[in-house]
Amino acid sequence: MSRLLDDQENAHGSSLSSHPSLRDVHSINPAQLMARIESYESREKKGISDVRRTFCLFVTFDLLFITLLWIIELNVNGGIEKTLEKEVLQYDYHSSYFDIFLLAVFRFMILILAYALCRLQHWWAIAFTTAVTSAFLLAKVILSKLLTQGAFGYVLPIISFILAWIETWFLDFKVLPQEAEEGNRLLLVQDASERAALIHSGLPSDGQFYSPPESEAGTECNDGFKRELKTDLVRESMAPSIDVKFLEILKP
């Protein structure tokens, strides 16, 4: 009889050691769960993520930088008023830089409207602006006479082209993947909190078990061990398994 009980004890110990996640579940701090969930929910309430805000700042920088270069070009070529009248009122596609400035305004309006105001989760808007920018700049460099008008004939088209593609790379490889990852992490944390709440509410307490009447002196020790083994098996059967990925998310 004692040998049979020893075998059962060894089997039960090996079963518990094969489920380390159960021990981790009982060690989960509910306050830790709530704090993590509140942190993710606060990010959602802000309406715009940090990485998306950085993208919008870069789009604004694009417009301001192109505007600054255009104003410098106006001053270099004979004063702002005279050159502005020549490039805007007497617009000539082959020699004016005004259309490059309008191209930067076009990118700014489309991207801010799509990714700041509408909070678009797709790349089609920036794909459209980048395609239009690339096609227009290539056509202007080939057909116009900008390359014969000094350094700004090289600087403005090249800077505008580079900034447009940096915006595309940043959105496609940073903003959208990171926001999708944060959304999935929030769902996982909420799922883990629900499971942990079910575990803590469903586990029987010590007061739910009663002690049987005293047995004979020869079997008291064996009966006590049987009751402990039965209690452990009941606790193990009632606790659902939680994926290790949930537990990694909950680590500080």
Side-chain angles (χ1 to χ4, degrees):
M1 183 65 180
S2 61
R3 184 175 181 180
L4 179 60
L5 292 174
D6 291 338
D7 294 339
Q8 291 177 349
E9 182 180 3
N10 293 333
H12 178 61
S14 62
S15 175
L16 289 178
S17 62
S18 64
H19 298 282
S21 61
L22 294 178
R23 298 194 195 100
D24 294 335
V25 170
H26 294 291
S27 64
I28 291 175
N29 186 359
Q32 220 177 27
L33 278 172
M34 295 306 298
R36 185 59 59 90
I37 293 175
E38 288 176 358
S39 66
Y40 286 121
E41 289 179 348
S42 64
R43 294 177 188 176
E44 293 294 327
K45 290 179 181 178
K46 287 194 302 184
I48 185 170
S49 63
D50 294 336
V51 66
R52 185 177 289 257
R53 186 183 299 108
T54 303
F55 170 77
C56 294
L57 287 175
F58 187 79
V59 172
T60 306
F61 167 78
D62 176 11
L63 174 64
L64 296 178
F65 190 53
I66 296 299
T67 303
L68 178 64
L69 290 178
W70 184 50
I71 292 175
I72 294 175
E73 183 270 334
L74 293 177
N75 272 325
V76 169
N77 291 333
I80 292 181
E81 295 182 0
K82 181 179 178 180
T83 311
L84 192 63
E85 180 181 355
K86 178 182 177 182
E87 292 194 4
V88 177
L89 300 180
Q90 304 172 5
Y91 172 76
D92 183 7
Y93 173 80
H94 296 86
S95 60
S96 177
Y97 297 95
F98 179 60
D99 47 11
I100 297 180
F101 165 74
L102 291 180
L103 195 62
V105 175
F106 164 76
R107 285 197 306 272
F108 174 80
M109 293 179 62
I110 296 296
L111 295 180
I112 293 298
L113 176 64
Y115 297 108
L117 300 180
C118 298
R119 300 185 184 95
L120 193 65
Q121 296 288 338
H122 203 272
W123 47 262
W124 67 263
I126 197 166
F128 173 70
T129 58
T130 303
V132 171
T133 299
S134 301
F136 181 85
L137 291 176
L138 287 175
K140 188 167 182 68
V141 169
I142 293 173
L143 300 177
S144 68
K145 303 175 183 178
L146 294 182
L147 301 182
T148 62
Q149 297 182 12
F152 284 99
Y154 298 89
V155 172
L156 275 172
I158 291 174
I159 294 298
S160 183
F161 185 86
I162 291 175
L163 290 176
W165 279 97
I166 290 177
E167 290 165 356
T168 304
W169 172 84
F170 190 77
L171 181 82
D172 197 25
F173 289 93
K174 295 294 182 180
V175 178
L176 298 182
Q178 185 169 332
E179 289 185 345
E181 183 181 353
E182 288 182 356
N184 293 334
R185 190 180 294 118
L186 175 60
L187 294 177
L188 293 177
V189 171
Q190 289 176 342
D191 194 6
S193 66
E194 293 174 359
R195 295 191 181 189
L198 290 175
I199 291 173
H200 287 291
S201 62
L203 286 177
S205 61
D206 294 336
Q208 292 176 307
F209 296 94
Y210 64 91
S211 298
E214 292 186 0
S215 58
E216 297 180 2
T219 61
E220 182 178 357
C221 181
N222 291 335
D223 290 341
F225 176 74
K226 288 180 180 179
R227 289 195 300 273
E228 293 178 359
L229 182 60
K230 187 176 182 180
T231 302
D232 291 338
L233 291 176
V234 170
R235 288 177 180 270
E236 182 181 358
S237 64
M238 294 187 66
S241 61
I242 289 185
D243 194 74
V244 179
K245 191 174 182 180
F246 296 154
L247 300 173
E248 291 178 355
I249 295 173
L250 298 175
K251 291 180 181 179

